[in-house]
Amino acid sequence: MAEAGRRVVFFPFPYHGHSSPVLRLASALHARGFAVTVFHTEFRAPDRADSPADYGWVSLPVEDRLAALLASEEGGVRCVITDVIWYTAQAVARDLGVPALGIMTASAANFRLYMAFQTLIDNAYLPEEDPVEELPPTNLLLQQDASSLPGLADLFRRTVEGARQSSGLVFNTLSTIEAANLWTGSARTCPSRCSPSPLYTNWHRKSTLVAAACTGRHKQTGTASADSTRRNQAACST
């Protein structure tokens, strides 16, 4: 049983490629003695049967439910960990005085693309059907219809801005294959606050880093469309 004040709130984005890494991290921290509450949308809600019986499950809206949880939880909530796309949920946590960490469930190269997306448009790299030589890992994301570019650019900008204000940033990747992307991306996003490390391997180290961030002992160093993401953000904040 978790000690008082060792509850971590998770908020995965409701698509399998996003939610699976977040729930795996929740499982790792639960195994280390943290109580877990999962906030979720009704759309594609997580399967509770796949998780421990003592998980808490809370549906939207985030602000009201998180405030109620903070008021009722003995010792309080240690931190909130959300998919980076839930930048509105991170803002809600900060407004309520709770540290918020973001998880980039795709690669670090994808996050660098988020940071560079508007520049690619401004410099006429996009729209582009041919591969972009400078960004070989991200060509599938670059091959977008021209009408979708403004919405994507706005979504990526808000996501990066939210990450920059977070207490920490977790990347779903391996330093052995993405060292340059990890350190360039994290240094430009939240210098000296990010803790990049894998979500699918080396679980002991990953859960240790996040557990330390949540207890304040660490010096923090399926794809949705832009329109559907904005709808989910609106639901989150209401």
Side-chain angles (χ1 to χ4, degrees):
M1 184 174 179
E3 300 174 9
R6 286 177 61 85
R7 180 169 299 278
V8 179
V9 173
F10 290 85
F11 192 11
F13 198 64
Y15 291 86
H16 182 72
H18 292 262
S19 62
S20 179
V22 175
L23 293 177
R24 286 174 64 90
L25 178 56
S27 177
L29 290 180
H30 182 264
R32 295 181 67 83
F34 283 85
V36 168
T37 294
V38 179
F39 279 57
H40 62 88
T41 60
E42 292 299 331
F43 173 69
R44 298 190 181 186
D47 186 353
R48 301 185 185 190
D50 293 336
S51 301
D54 62 346
Y55 273 25
W57 301 92
V58 181
S59 60
L60 299 180
V62 167
E63 185 170 8
D64 293 343
R65 302 296 171 83
L66 182 57
L69 183 62
L70 290 171
S72 64
E73 178 70 15
E74 182 181 355
V77 173
R78 186 63 65 178
C79 65
V80 173
I81 303 177
T82 82
D83 192 299
V84 292
I85 291 180
W86 284 130
Y87 49 83
T88 53
Q90 293 179 45
V92 166
R94 289 193 299 272
D95 289 345
L96 293 172
V98 182
L101 283 74
I103 298 180
M104 179 63 189
T105 56
S107 66
N110 269 27
F111 195 78
R112 288 189 69 186
L113 175 59
Y114 288 9
M115 293 189 291
F117 202 77
Q118 187 61 57
T119 300
L120 292 171
I121 296 173
D122 294 342
N123 292 339
Y125 277 108
L126 296 174
E128 178 61 69
E129 295 183 359
D130 297 327
V132 177
E133 182 179 351
E134 291 86 348
L135 297 169
T138 57
N139 284 313
L140 286 177
L141 191 53
L142 293 175
Q143 295 173 13
Q144 299 287 334
D145 182 83
S147 63
S148 69
L149 295 181
L152 281 171
D154 182 65
L155 169 62
F156 295 159
R157 178 184 61 79
R158 292 174 184 271
T159 298
V160 172
E161 287 179 355
R164 284 180 171 143
Q165 297 178 63
S166 68
S167 298
L169 184 59
V170 181
F171 290 97
N172 180 19
T173 190
L174 290 165
S175 60
T176 52
I177 62 174
E178 281 204 296
N181 285 318
L182 276 171
W183 297 115
T184 300
S186 62
R188 289 177 57 192
T189 306
C190 44
S192 79
R193 295 193 298 169
C194 298
S195 302
S197 52
L199 290 175
Y200 284 109
T201 59
N202 198 0
W203 271 106
H204 177 74
R205 173 168 170 75
K206 161 75 349 237
S207 58
T208 299
L209 285 168
V210 177
C214 289
T215 55
R217 293 195 299 268
H218 178 59
K219 187 175 182 179
Q220 297 153 333
T221 63
T223 303
S225 69
D227 286 341
S228 66
T229 299
R230 282 194 294 272
R231 288 195 294 270
N232 283 326
Q233 297 287 4
C236 168
S237 58
T238 57

